[in-house]
Amino acid sequence: MLGVVVNGLRLRRRLRALPVLGSAAVGDAGDGLVVVHATGAEVDAATVAAAGAHLRAQGVEVVDLVPGDLATEELLDLLRLSDRGLLRSNPIAPAYGAGQAVVVAPALAARAGIAGGPADPVEVRRAFVRARHHAPRRADQALAPGLRAVPLAARERLAVWREQHGRPLPIHAAARLVPAAVAAALAAAGSPGGAAAVAAAAAVQPALVAGGTGARPADRGEPLAGPTRLAGAPVRLARALAGPWRPA
């Protein structure tokens, strides 16, 4: 239980380290920017202008946008991998994007060969990695409250995980089952109180991470969202591992 709470606090620090895009006059800073976005996502002019203002204020050339309503599981997955402090300070640290929208300065897009427009969830992430490769000290990540997330389909998860984790994927996949496995083991060992404590800690972790921040996961208000997420972890993992989808 303590491990779940401590990890939740670690993820919360990472989330709070993300700057929140403010407002900017439409057209002020958005002209000419290249936007790669998930198919179905609508990156409005106000969000693009705010991203452009952020590029200028921070002195960067690319910013990965994290939607304010990114689903709980996707938000936690991103925060487990992405550390803005390392992204800004260590030019060889891996770059992990939310896979929703990437805003690139025109000069960098030309150097990196990045074309704007809709793309699959793997290619959006690759666009951020490619841009950061060409501008290792001029990449950033920010929370975009006005951007609406396109949910990741179960059939797409395996391809996305392969892109993010590479060869260590089996370790990361197995780690997703740890809270549910510990709770089940405690229950089988005759410690229902311990099992309930682990389950409760895992259930409240999303609120611990996102509460009081600019993130408002779309599924946070669903009844029994926490317990259902914990109990359904094995099924979700099995569906993801059986996902047939591959990027073009």
Side-chain angles (χ1 to χ4, degrees):
M1 180 179 70
L2 180 60
V4 175
V5 174
V6 171
N7 189 48
L9 292 173
R10 178 179 70 94
L11 301 183
R12 179 179 178 82
R13 283 195 297 272
R14 289 188 174 185
L15 176 59
R16 290 181 65 86
L18 294 179
V20 180
L21 292 188
S23 57
V26 175
D28 245 9
D31 290 344
L33 293 174
V34 174
V35 182
V36 184
H37 59 85
T39 301
E42 296 183 6
V43 189
D44 60 27
T47 297
V48 176
H54 180 82
L55 294 184
R56 293 193 302 175
Q58 296 296 318
V60 295
E61 293 185 84
V62 57
V63 59
D64 178 69
L65 301 185
V66 181
D69 68 342
L70 192 64
T72 295
E73 189 167 359
E74 292 182 52
L75 177 63
L76 295 181
D77 279 351
L78 175 65
L79 295 174
R80 290 183 186 110
L81 293 169
S82 184
D83 182 339
R84 182 179 180 251
L86 283 177
L87 179 70
R88 296 301 309 274
S89 65
N90 186 347
I92 63 172
Y96 300 100
Q100 296 288 332
V102 179
V103 179
V104 190
L108 174 57
R111 293 199 308 273
I114 296 173
D120 67 54
V122 168
E123 187 55 36
V124 178
R125 288 169 170 84
R126 286 177 179 170
F128 182 50
V129 172
R130 189 159 63 249
R132 203 274 184 127
H133 176 76
H134 284 79
R137 296 187 182 277
R138 295 170 66 83
D140 203 0
Q141 193 166 53
L143 196 67
L147 179 63
R148 295 293 169 260
V150 175
L152 191 62
R155 65 188 182 88
E156 298 170 329
R157 290 187 184 277
L158 180 59
V160 168
W161 291 349
R162 280 183 175 139
E163 180 70 18
Q164 292 175 321
H165 299 295
R167 288 184 178 180
L169 173 59
I171 298 174
H172 290 280
R176 306 176 79 85
L177 299 178
V178 169
V182 171
L186 287 171
S191 178
V198 172
V204 302
Q205 189 187 58
L208 176 64
V209 173
T213 71
R216 300 287 189 274
D219 55 347
R220 70 173 183 163
E222 294 179 4
L224 301 178
T228 300
R229 189 171 61 87
L230 179 66
V235 175
R236 290 197 307 275
L237 179 59
R239 288 176 178 170
L241 294 178
W245 182 83
R246 298 290 183 275

